[in-house]
Amino acid sequence: MPSMRHEIRAALKDFWVVGLGLIPLGLAFGLVMTQAGFAWWWTPIFSVVIYAGSMEFLAVQMVTAGVGPLSAAVTGFMVNFRHIFYGLTFPRDRISSPLGRAYSTYALTDETYAVISSLPPSTRATLSGTRILTTQIACQLLWVIPGIIGALLGVVIPPEVKGMDFALTALFVVLAYESFISNKDFSLPLTATAIAVLVAVIAPSWLLMVALTAYFLVLLLRYALPGVDKALELSYPQTPPQPEGGR
């Protein structure tokens, strides 16, 4: 069985690309907090109590706009509705400690789910609780610490500097690209795009929740019906390996 030190190193190796993307995102969140008028120390409070990435940016806007608790709760549920589906396939059962499983539930984010789910099937089959928890702890540290630094920098950066919250969109683009690289099936992003466009026309107010639910049902259908999955697959042809010597 791999040692704990080996599992920690493996988790950090899995996570480092996404981790680098979290640093500017955390800096951007801290800057947004101070530019919205919050004291710097509110940043780690938001990042620990809420710890939901996009929802934290949205929470800043809701608090400053005076949104009521019921509206905030409904909005938070809609934005984070996807985590219900994450929990169905995230391997929390590999974590033996009840406290560790509780933390893993709390710390389940888009980034940690993307890192774990993009691992090769052979690696996921032997995934340890140590490796999962290391990924999640590193993810939160690389969100909270840069957030504090960004908040302190925000005290001295002019409020006219805008656009830092675009870092969140940029990170999701990177995660989507990494996921596609691990499974080069064009039908998946095309299906997601088609569903998003359709829902945006029919029910724009419920775009996130309805689109995610519809896409999840499509994935379930493809899983349950391998024939349908094969028919929908749009993977580009792989170049066959060349024999040695170029012949």
Side-chain angles (χ1 to χ4, degrees):
M1 175 179 287
S3 66
M4 180 177 294
R5 182 176 299 179
H6 175 272
E7 290 295 276
I8 292 174
R9 284 200 302 265
L12 296 178
K13 183 180 179 180
D14 297 335
F15 182 73
W16 75 271
V17 174
V18 173
L20 291 178
L22 279 174
I23 293 174
L25 183 59
L27 291 170
F29 177 67
L31 182 59
V32 167
M33 284 289 290
T34 51
Q35 288 187 337
F38 291 90
W40 71 267
W41 45 266
W42 275 106
T43 302
I45 292 177
F46 269 60
S47 297
V48 171
V49 174
I50 302 176
Y51 188 45
S54 56
M55 189 61 214
E56 290 185 42
F57 282 93
L58 187 57
V60 175
Q61 300 176 14
M62 290 193 295
V63 171
T64 55
V67 175
L70 180 59
S71 298
V74 172
T75 302
F77 175 78
M78 291 174 59
V79 171
N80 292 309
F81 185 74
R82 64 193 184 279
H83 288 274
I84 296 176
F85 306 123
Y86 289 172
L88 295 176
T89 56
F90 195 75
R92 286 176 60 256
D93 57 299
R94 307 291 178 83
I95 303 171
S96 57
S97 165
L99 181 61
R101 286 196 297 272
Y103 174 77
S104 182
T105 301
Y106 153 78
L108 178 55
T109 62
D110 299 295
E111 294 77 22
T112 55
Y113 182 83
V115 170
I116 297 299
S117 62
S118 64
L119 293 174
S122 58
T123 302
R124 292 202 304 269
T126 59
L127 205 60
S128 69
T130 299
R131 191 162 176 173
I132 296 170
L133 288 174
T134 299
T135 301
Q136 293 186 285
I137 292 170
C139 178
Q140 187 165 19
L141 289 176
L142 287 176
W143 173 260
V144 174
I145 295 174
I148 295 173
I149 296 172
L152 294 174
L153 290 174
V155 176
V156 297
I157 293 178
E160 291 78 17
V161 178
K162 303 294 183 182
M164 292 298 291
D165 50 346
F166 182 74
L168 183 67
T169 304
L171 179 61
F172 284 143
V173 171
V174 173
L175 290 175
Y177 174 76
E178 291 291 331
S179 179
F180 176 74
I181 290 300
S182 66
N183 182 16
K184 297 179 181 179
D185 182 357
F186 285 96
S187 69
L188 297 174
L190 289 175
T191 301
T193 302
I195 291 174
V197 171
L198 180 63
V199 177
V201 174
I202 297 175
S205 300
W206 297 83
L207 173 61
L208 185 63
M209 188 167 65
V210 175
L212 281 174
T213 303
Y215 186 65
F216 177 70
L217 293 175
V218 169
L219 294 180
L220 283 181
L221 176 66
R222 294 183 61 165
Y223 178 79
L225 302 173
V228 173
D229 181 58
K230 190 66 177 178
L232 293 175
E233 187 176 333
L234 289 174
S235 299
Y236 62 82
Q238 300 292 324
T239 303
Q242 296 295 324
E244 292 185 7
R247 296 190 297 254

